[in-house]
Amino acid sequence: DLSKTRNNIVFGDGDPKADIMIIGEAPGKDEDDSGKPFIGRAGKLLDEILFSLHLDRKQIFITNTIKCRPPENRNPQKNEIDACDSLLKNQIDIIKPKVLVLLGRIAANTILNNDCSMNDLRKKMHTENLFQIPIYVLYHPAYLLRSPSQKKHLWEDLKILQNFIDNGYITH
């Protein structure tokens, strides 16, 4: 149904051989207009997050759980997530990242197949999952833009992810 209201499919962008794959929840207006993920305000914050990790967009692959913008930027519905599920799994299988970074509860609950809160998902590597790839969960940049007081938690989370990267799991 989302294909009826979208301008572009937002498949993903970045290095198809990336060690790090970032998965958000759904494209927004800017992404729908351009066909590229995370290019609006949330994308600019994501770029700052990557910079703090000494990473560049060219080194990673970025996508979303669904590939079309939901009307009014509402959260994706289960049937929409299910419709894109095999495509997302194929992307992960093809890219074979060394770590998945999930942005927000919707992406995390989708990939980890649970209904946990962000407090339960953050600050740990999720190693037992369908993909047998370490998974790390961060707050979604759009959420941080709406709730700037939560940015302090982001920096705590990034220290853990940086430690994971620095310990040789990821090459720059």
Side-chain angles (χ1 to χ4, degrees), residues 64-125:
N64 286 294
T65 57
I66 66 171
K67 310 307 178 191
C68 299
R69 178 184 183 219
E72 306 302 317
N73 282 352
R74 65 163 167 72
N75 288 339
Q77 297 172 350
K78 176 143 178 44
N79 67 318
E80 295 161 349
I81 292 170
D82 291 346
C84 291
D85 187 60
S86 63
L87 178 57
L88 180 60
K89 286 177 180 171
N90 285 340
Q91 286 179 301
I92 295 168
D93 288 341
I94 290 167
I95 293 170
K96 295 180 181 16
K98 293 181 180 172
V99 66
L100 290 173
V101 177
L102 308 180
L103 302 178
R105 186 184 52 78
I106 291 172
N109 290 163
T110 298
I111 297 296
L112 293 170
N113 194 29
N114 65 33
D115 195 27
C116 294
S117 71
M118 281 300 291
N119 282 338
D120 292 334
L121 294 165
R122 293 177 43 244
K123 294 189 178 181
K124 60 186 162 205
M125 281 292 172

Side-chain angles (χ1 to χ4, degrees), residues 30-66:
D30 293 329
E31 292 77 12
D32 183 46
D33 288 343
S34 71
K36 293 200 175 205
F38 284 92
I39 61 159
R41 288 180 57 227
K44 288 182 181 23
L45 181 53
L46 178 60
D47 288 344
E48 290 176 29
I49 292 167
L50 293 173
F51 181 78
S52 75
L53 294 168
H54 312 289
L55 295 171
D56 183 285
R57 272 184 184 252
K58 295 176 197 142
Q59 297 173 283
I60 60 173
F61 190 86
I62 305 172
T63 191
N64 286 294
T65 57
I66 66 171

